Amino acid sequence: MDWLDQVKWDSAGLVPVIAQEQATGDVLMFAWMDREALRKTAELGRAVYFSRSRQRLWFKGEESGHVQQVHEIRLDCDGDVLLLKVTQLGHDPSIACHTGRHSCFFRRQEGGRWVGVEPVLKNPSEIYT
């Protein structure tokens, strides 16, 4: 059986993916992959996702330069979620979020509201020209 056949794809042919920084354990982002994105990620050692808004493959960093080097691809016990262990490249300190932050999970719930708790490392207008 092909290793890709062991993934439980949803009705749209997608699987959720969590990108985790290998060195720190920080959760950087959440995205989706289709079969081709997962195959290319394994083949290239670079994160390739499926953009639902663009309806096409999205090579992480194709516009920003913030590429994810993939060290491991893990499949959860139910076979329906992937975890990528990555090194985030392109900026020091690393930026994974389109808002210019290290992680997409930069807001924390405090007292009934969402509070930004991570700094912007680079203004998005400087990233996306």
Side-chain angles (χ1 to χ4, degrees):
M1 178 186 282
D2 185 351
W3 65 278
L4 292 166
D5 293 334
Q6 295 176 32
V7 175
K8 291 182 185 170
W9 307 98
D10 72 8
S11 61
L14 302 174
V15 65
V17 183
I18 299 164
Q20 180 182 37
E21 192 169 49
Q22 180 173 310
T24 64
D26 291 348
V27 174
L28 299 177
M29 58 178 279
F30 169 86
W32 297 90
M33 284 185 176
D34 65 3
R35 190 180 192 92
E36 183 179 2
L38 180 53
R39 185 183 57 74
K40 283 194 175 295
T41 295
E43 193 176 284
L44 301 173
R46 172 185 175 182
V48 180
Y49 299 108
F50 182 81
S51 170
R52 295 182 306 162
S53 60
R54 298 176 190 134
Q55 286 295 297
R56 67 170 177 81
L57 290 184
W58 162 42
F59 289 73
K60 176 69 174 150
E62 67 188 19
E63 294 176 21
S64 67
H66 301 149
V67 173
Q68 290 175 346
Q69 177 186 5
V70 177
H71 302 284
E72 289 183 46
I73 303 171
R74 295 188 180 204
L75 183 62
D76 82 328
C77 58
D78 295 322
D80 60 0
V81 178
L82 295 173
L83 173 69
L84 301 184
K85 299 268 189 157
V86 304
T87 297
Q88 184 69 52
L89 304 171
H91 188 271
D92 187 25
S94 68
I95 295 173
C97 184
H98 75 281
T99 66
R101 292 175 173 87
H102 173 64
S103 170
C104 293
F105 297 95
F106 62 89
R107 292 180 273 205
R108 180 172 56 214
Q109 192 279 337
E110 291 181 6
R113 62 189 181 99
W114 294 107
V115 177
V117 295
E118 286 193 22
V120 173
L121 301 173
K122 189 170 185 180
N123 188 316
S125 67
E126 297 172 23
I127 298 170
Y128 303 98
T129 55

